[in-house]
Amino acid sequence: MDYRTRIRDVREDRDLTQAEVGKVLQKSQQGYNHIEAGRAELKIDDLIKLCKFYNLSADYLIGLTSEISTLYPKK
């Protein structure tokens, strides 16, 4: 699975807008849209922010695995 599809699917599953996720990455809605649409690359720093925000592993977010694994265990 392409990482763009994965990050869009995760965002949509959590009922978040591109603007909301853009704020996490300190980007505009349009800036984040460019990442999902393939007009801009996802920078490693932004990947780390997304992993922390979603509490998901980078392997899952970039599509290397379909097994959902979290960074922090639920309390």
Side-chain angles (χ1 to χ4, degrees):
M1 172 178 280
D2 179 75
Y3 78 87
R4 290 164 171 51
T5 302
R6 179 63 55 85
I7 63 172
R8 184 196 68 228
D9 290 348
V10 169
R11 177 182 59 77
E12 290 176 348
D13 288 346
R14 296 181 185 211
D15 295 323
L16 296 168
T17 65
Q18 288 182 339
E20 290 169 323
V21 177
K23 285 181 185 177
V24 171
L25 301 180
Q26 298 175 331
K27 297 183 183 313
S28 66
Q29 177 275 327
Q30 185 178 17
Y32 181 73
N33 174 270
H34 285 249
I35 294 170
E36 282 191 2
R39 291 187 297 273
E41 293 296 321
L42 179 65
K43 296 183 185 326
I44 190 70
D45 291 340
D46 293 336
L47 174 61
I48 293 167
K49 288 176 186 175
L50 288 177
C51 290
K52 290 177 179 178
F53 177 69
Y54 290 130
N55 188 29
L56 293 171
S57 72
D59 285 351
Y60 180 75
L61 281 182
I62 62 175
L64 293 178
T65 183
S66 58
E67 182 178 324
I68 298 173
S69 62
T70 59
L71 298 176
Y72 313 108
K74 292 184 179 183
K75 294 179 182 179

